[in-house]
Amino acid sequence: MWVFFIPRPMPSKNDRLVNAGTQAQRGRYASTRAKWCTDLHTAMWMAGVPKATGPRRLSIVRLYGKGQRELDDDGPDPKIILDAAKAVIGTKTIGRLRVPMNGAGLIVDDRPGMLELSPITQERAADGRPGVRVEIEDITIEPATSARGQGR
């Protein structure tokens, strides 16, 4: 298991960071995702976390700082963090060529077979500075057995 800290406040659902809508909204989303991607990649390198090659368990802890309080249960929004953590975060078009955009590689993908996401928890930061603590570990997910495969 690896644990590392990102000194960036966790986004709230009230921030309305979505990859849709106006060009300005999409640009704000892409800019925020790029910052998280850089922060995750740097923290992974410093903690010695290898890029993901299989399923992983991810726990995200929002650390709220001095003068902040715990958000409602539906408040913390891990979507932008998960998007930045993927190995490939999308494609961009250069001329007629579609080129993949690399993410941090903390997880292969956020689909159910590749990621086990623990519920988001919140704690007061001991040093009073807001941020996010990430706990990640490689896991083995047993393949789902179908009724057809059991002779039913």
Side-chain angles (χ1 to χ4, degrees):
M1 181 194 297
W2 300 276
V3 178
F4 56 86
F5 174 75
I6 305 288
R8 177 181 298 281
M10 184 169 185
S12 164
K13 289 184 181 170
N14 292 333
D15 294 336
R16 293 192 172 87
L17 290 169
V18 292
N19 197 13
T22 67
Q23 186 173 357
Q25 288 170 320
R26 289 191 308 271
R28 184 169 164 242
Y29 176 86
S31 173
T32 304
R33 182 182 62 198
K35 290 173 186 172
W36 273 100
C37 189
T38 300
D39 289 349
L40 284 169
H41 194 268
T42 302
M44 284 174 60
W45 177 76
M46 291 177 67
V49 181
K51 289 199 174 207
T53 57
R56 285 189 164 171
R57 178 177 296 119
L58 178 66
S59 300
I60 300 173
V61 180
R62 174 189 175 253
L63 301 171
Y64 54 96
K66 185 177 180 184
Q68 294 181 321
R69 61 180 178 83
E70 201 169 304
L71 297 175
D72 295 338
D73 290 338
D74 64 345
D77 188 9
K79 176 70 174 134
I80 194 95
I81 300 172
L82 294 177
D83 285 350
K86 291 191 268 188
V88 177
I89 57 177
T91 59
K92 62 182 173 183
T93 304
I94 301 175
R96 294 184 181 186
L97 186 64
R98 293 191 60 83
V99 179
M101 295 173 14
N102 293 330
L106 183 65
I107 57 175
V108 173
D109 197 6
D110 58 356
R111 65 182 186 266
M114 295 305 288
L115 176 67
E116 185 180 298
L117 182 63
S118 300
I120 308 300
T121 57
Q122 302 181 69
E123 298 174 5
R124 178 162 304 282
D127 60 0
R129 295 185 347 225
V132 174
R133 185 173 66 233
V134 177
E135 301 169 3
I136 188 91
E137 65 181 312
D138 291 323
I139 59 171
T140 304
I141 296 179
E142 296 295 325
T145 57
S146 66
R148 183 174 291 167
Q150 296 175 355
R152 293 184 189 161

